[in-house]
Amino acid sequence: MTAITTRISRRLACTALLVAMLGACSSTAPTDRNDTPPVKSKADAQAWAQQITEHMARTAGIEIDPATVDALFTPCTGRNGETATDDRYILMYSVKSSVPRAQHPEVVRKVRDMLVGEGLTVNGYRESVDGRPDALVDAFHPSSRYSATAETSGRGDRVYLGITTPCLLPPPASVSPTSTS
């Protein structure tokens, strides 16, 4: 197999994996704020976010530092600060990679192109601030309602990759029982 054929096969496999993962999430995505959120266990949501950030890193040609993985689960909060009693949550998942600062714009450009190709809408993009590399892409998936970010992190050589899910509902077996006292 030639190198080009191998690269094309690898990209098709990654795209198929991403479509399969998104399909599982988007097929149950609510169309109205009052609809029930998609059902996904926290473990499945974290595994999905990990796969997406790994796909972003492979696309950009960078390696994730496993010591920087951060998965934060927070309760869904309504417009007026209210929370439901069914343990619905949002996952904010992030990782970092060491990349020379001068390469940050190229890394973010590759991630942006991949995200757009996967159907996400870019909400924010930049390659520099005051003439220095300080790159950012922030994108949103319209049907699955998750966001993906790649950006320069801090003053050093770090690139941040992050995923934020929409409000998700754990499967019934993992919902904590309601107290009757």
Side-chain angles (χ1 to χ4, degrees):
M1 221 186 248
T2 68
I4 293 173
T5 305
T6 302
R7 265 187 268 141
I8 291 171
S9 296
R10 202 175 307 142
R11 283 187 181 183
L12 288 173
C14 286
T15 300
L17 175 65
L18 188 60
V19 168
M21 290 184 298
L22 291 176
C25 192
S26 65
S27 64
T28 59
T31 56
D32 182 279
R33 288 189 182 272
N34 294 322
D35 286 351
T36 302
V39 174
K40 191 175 282 281
S41 73
K42 288 182 177 181
D44 288 346
Q46 185 168 338
W48 174 81
Q50 177 183 347
Q51 289 172 336
I52 297 298
T53 55
E54 288 172 352
H55 181 52
M56 292 165 68
R58 276 190 308 275
T59 298
I62 62 176
E63 291 192 29
I64 292 170
D65 178 354
T68 66
V69 170
D70 186 23
L72 176 64
F73 293 92
T74 63
C76 295
T77 305
R79 181 175 297 157
N80 299 313
E82 68 276 10
T83 56
T85 58
D86 58 6
D87 292 331
R88 54 186 72 195
Y89 65 92
I90 292 172
L91 168 60
M92 291 176 278
Y93 181 91
S94 66
V95 295
K96 293 180 182 167
S97 177
S98 291
V99 179
R101 188 101 175 185
Q103 294 176 10
H104 288 198
E106 177 186 350
V107 164
V108 167
R109 204 174 306 124
K110 287 177 181 178
V111 172
R112 177 200 61 193
D113 293 348
M114 181 274 296
L115 294 172
V116 168
E118 302 290 348
L120 283 81
T121 302
V122 173
N123 293 329
Y125 181 79
R126 71 168 184 257
E127 292 188 9
S128 64
V129 172
D130 297 329
R132 292 182 309 239
D134 192 349
L136 162 80
V137 64
D138 188 35
F140 180 76
H141 195 278
S143 62
S144 296
R145 296 183 16 222
Y146 76 90
S147 65
T149 302
E151 69 179 313
T152 297
S153 178
R155 298 180 188 261
D157 67 349
R158 294 293 194 151
V159 169
Y160 163 96
L161 303 175
I163 298 293
T164 302
T165 68
C167 191
L168 299 171
L169 189 61
S174 66
V175 174
S176 61
T178 305
S179 174
T180 57
S181 46

